């Protein structure tokens, strides 16, 4: 299994190109199931999760191929659906696979999707996805670890109230409602930029959607959708991660293609912690303010709040700040697996329930550590970039799920990083 070796202590300087957003690309790839015509996507990142999705879609009858000479362009085409089953071994690897449910049900009237099972960051149920599909008229049964959804006469528009703004449930319901009969309203919808990107792509395919990006989305169902071209938005989590790579090493990085408005409260949180994020030519410039990093609190919230997917990285940043920071996780249970690994590098962190108190230290020291999930892993990379001496990160397949060409991008801004088999 590959490992990453990092020799820390170099302030990172230069520019990093931000890739297309994984979490926007995944639902949009699943949207290809909704039409018999090709969906032509640009800015698709080259990641393990994208490859898993490609594999699942191919199993269902979608040809999903890269365009020769254009590695970030992918054409997905589902003239007919060959299977209505998303099997366990494909769903297990990636929770977002549950996003086949809405599109399959809407297109064919039936879907069998393996329950995703537990995952490293808490139980993560799919009850809201199922409740919404039932509201749209689907009959849902659970059998043998599979969700079996049926709507032989098609789905019917309905008002669905989400008690919690689930990103995945909003996306699944948006895709299902696009082909339902009549009007649907998703109240309490998630407002993430990835939802807006999915809605933009569906609209280009002929869907009638209003209010994406707000808590109330209205969809007028149409009888069929057509092919379209769409470019995926830049990855706000990748941008926030590289911003903090600049911060933790005391450097300065131009985040090419990044959008400040997509960072939501992360901008204010990072600025309160002693960083500056400013619009710059072609993107956003991230650097440490003259006073240096200061301990500052953060609480994860749905967008536009501070993203849970940046929580681990912020903890690495606060590990070397002057003073203490209280970091509270409100979205997922059990999302502090990075704490004991950061402690191996010398970070001083105490966890009390859903909050972690981080007391900044003068210096972290390199050590062997183990990656546990995607964002936890990259927090170890950030801490290692700041640490004195060498850090060896094991189980890095987690990083390949969500960070495109990580070593290359960090190497280009001066990091001493290498992947060894
Ligand atoms: C998406 C992102 C993930 C991010 C998360 C929160 C993708 C592929 N993944 O995950 O990176 O961390 O949003 O921003 O876009 N919940 C339920 N019942 C449900 C669905 C969710 O109780 O049916 C709960 C979850 O357990 C969690 C909260 O709602 O506590 C938010 O989850 P959700 O927004 O659905 O996250 P995902 O879409 O899985």
């Amino acid at each position: 299994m590959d490992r990453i070796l990092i020799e820390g202590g170099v302030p990172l300087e230069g520019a990093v190109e931000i890739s297309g957003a994984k979490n926007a690309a995944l639902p949009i790839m699943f949207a290809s199931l909704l039409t018999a015509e090709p969906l032509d996507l640009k800015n698709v990142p080259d990641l393990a999760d994208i490859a898993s999705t490609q594999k699942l879609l191919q199993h269902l009858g979608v040809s999903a191929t890269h365009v020769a000479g254009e590695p970030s362009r992918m054409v997905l085409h589902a003239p007919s659906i060959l299977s209505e089953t998303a099997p366990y071994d494909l769903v297990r690897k990636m929770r977002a696979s549950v996003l086949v449910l809405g599109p399959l049900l809407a297109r064919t009237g039936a879907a069998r999707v393996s329950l995703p099972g537990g995952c490293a960051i808490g139980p993560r149920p799919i009850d809201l996805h199922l409740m919404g599909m039932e509201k749209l008229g689907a009959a849902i049964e659970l059998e043998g670890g599979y969700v079996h959804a049926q709507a032989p006469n098609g789905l019917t528009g309905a008002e669905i109230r989400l008690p919690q703004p689930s990103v995945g449930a909003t996306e699944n319901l948006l895709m299902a409602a696009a082909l339902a009969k009549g009007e649907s309203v998703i109240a309490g919808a998630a407002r993430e930029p990835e939802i807006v990107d999915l809605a933009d792509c569906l609209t280009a395919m002929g869907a009638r959607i209003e209010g994406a990006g707000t808590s109330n989305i209205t969809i007028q169902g149409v009888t069929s959708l057509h092919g379209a071209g769409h470019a995926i938005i830049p990855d706000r989590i990748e941008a926030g991660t590289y911003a903090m790579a600049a911060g933790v090493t005391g450097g300065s990085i131009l985040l090419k293609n990044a959008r400040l408005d997509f960072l939501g409260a992360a901008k204010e949180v990072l600025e309160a912690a002693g960083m500056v994020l400013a619009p710059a030519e072609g993107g956003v410039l991230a650097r440490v303010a003259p006073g240096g990093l200061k301990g500052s609190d953060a609480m994860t919230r749905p967008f536009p709040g501070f993203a849970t997917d940046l929580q681990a990285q912020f903890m690495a940043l606060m590990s070397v700040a002057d003073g203490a920071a209280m970091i509270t996780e409100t979205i997922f249970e059990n999302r502090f697996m990075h704490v004991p690994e950061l402690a191996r590098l010398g970070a001083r962190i105490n966890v009390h329930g859903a909050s972690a108190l981080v007391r900044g230290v003068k210096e972290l020291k390199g050590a062997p550590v183990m990656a546990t999930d995607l964002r936890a892993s990259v927090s170890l990379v950030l801490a290692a970039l700041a640490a004195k001496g060498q850090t060896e990160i094991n189980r890095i397949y987690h990083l390949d799920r969500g960070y495109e060409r990580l070593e290359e991008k960090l190497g280009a801004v001066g990091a001493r990083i290498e992947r060894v088999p």
Side-chain angles (χ1 to χ4, degrees):
M1 227 183 277
D2 288 3
R3 293 165 297 151
I4 281 182
L5 299 181
I6 295 176
E7 189 73 38
V10 183
L12 303 184
E13 302 280 349
V16 167
E17 190 135 353
I18 299 306
S19 300
K22 167 179 87 77
N23 286 353
L26 298 178
I28 289 175
M29 287 173 73
F30 287 117
S32 66
L33 288 163
L34 290 165
T35 173
E37 293 179 15
L39 187 59
D40 187 344
L41 301 179
K42 289 192 176 134
N43 211 23
V44 178
D46 180 17
L47 299 170
D49 276 8
I50 298 289
S52 301
T53 303
Q54 233 177 324
K55 208 163 153 197
L56 173 55
L57 287 171
Q58 282 161 353
H59 169 86
L60 301 174
V62 186
S63 72
T65 47
H66 284 283
V67 175
E70 288 181 76
S72 64
R73 183 159 161 215
M74 191 187 281
V75 177
L76 302 112
H77 191 190
S80 57
I81 302 297
L82 301 181
S83 165
E84 60 190 46
T85 301
Y88 179 61
D89 58 320
L90 293 175
V91 175
R92 175 177 60 89
K93 281 201 201 114
M94 196 189 56
R95 232 191 88 82
S97 307
V98 73
L99 294 175
V100 299
L101 184 64
L104 271 185
L105 195 53
R107 170 103 177 253
T108 70
R112 269 185 87 235
V113 180
S114 170
L115 282 165
C119 85
I121 51 175
R124 301 182 85 170
I126 58 162
D127 55 319
L128 302 177
H129 301 240
L130 301 184
M131 175 276 284
M133 296 302 160
E134 279 181 330
K135 283 261 153 80
L136 294 175
I140 307 269
E141 273 174 66
L142 301 180
E143 49 182 38
Y146 279 76
V147 172
H148 195 182
Q150 279 179 296
N153 301 318
L155 298 169
T156 309
E159 175 166 343
I160 304 152
R161 190 161 287 279
L162 295 178
Q164 184 172 0
S166 158
V167 174
T170 303
E171 292 166 344
N172 229 341
L173 294 168
L174 199 52
M175 291 191 277
L179 287 182
K181 283 185 213 90
E183 180 177 286
S184 297
V185 175
I186 309 175
R191 296 183 283 161
E192 271 69 2
E194 292 76 18
I195 307 274
V196 179
D197 205 33
L198 172 63
D200 284 348
C201 180
L202 291 171
T203 302
M205 293 164 71
R208 293 173 57 203
I209 299 168
E210 267 173 48
T214 75
S215 306
N216 266 290
I217 307 180
T218 306
I219 305 112
Q220 306 293 341
V222 296
T223 49
S224 70
L225 293 173
H226 51 72
H230 179 81
I232 308 292
I233 55 169
D235 196 314
R236 63 197 167 95
I237 305 302
E238 191 193 24
T241 302
Y242 283 104
M244 289 189 261
V248 80
T249 61
S252 149
I253 299 182
L254 173 66
L255 311 163
K256 286 205 260 177
N257 307 329
R259 284 187 42 181
L260 218 40
D261 54 333
F262 286 175
L263 287 176
K267 178 184 189 292
E268 285 75 47
V269 167
L270 292 181
E271 292 193 331
M275 291 195 62
V276 179
L277 294 172
E281 187 68 26
V284 172
L285 183 69
R287 60 181 173 82
V288 179
L293 295 173
K294 309 187 275 279
S296 186
D297 298 349
M299 184 184 280
T300 63
R301 304 299 295 165
F303 191 82
F306 183 71
T308 172
D309 286 352
L310 289 174
Q311 180 256 107
Q313 299 89 313
F314 186 66
M315 197 175 290
L317 186 76
M318 290 296 89
S319 295
V320 294
D322 186 14
M326 176 78 90
I327 301 176
T328 304
E329 174 59 55
T330 73
I331 308 292
F332 292 114
E333 291 166 41
N334 193 16
R335 204 176 193 181
F336 285 141
M337 286 93 56
H338 40 288
V339 170
E341 298 300 312
L342 288 171
R344 291 176 57 78
L345 299 172
R348 287 180 64 205
I349 306 168
N350 286 305
V351 174
H352 304 274
S355 293
L357 181 64
V358 187
R359 293 186 177 88
V361 296
K362 285 263 174 309
E363 191 175 78
L364 296 173
K365 290 200 183 77
V369 290
M370 198 153 66
T372 49
D373 80 17
L374 173 54
R375 308 303 169 183
S377 312
V378 87
S379 78
L380 300 175
V381 171
L382 295 188
L385 289 169
K388 197 173 164 203
Q390 192 182 68
T391 296
E392 175 185 308
I393 306 179
N394 292 288
R395 296 205 184 159
I396 56 165
Y397 51 84
H398 291 291
L399 286 169
D400 296 328
R401 289 188 41 217
Y403 287 91
E404 188 175 38
R405 294 182 283 109
L406 178 79
E407 309 95 87
E408 189 188 317
K409 289 187 186 189
L410 283 172
V413 288
R416 290 175 293 193
I417 178 168
E418 66 172 323
R419 180 185 289 243
V420 291

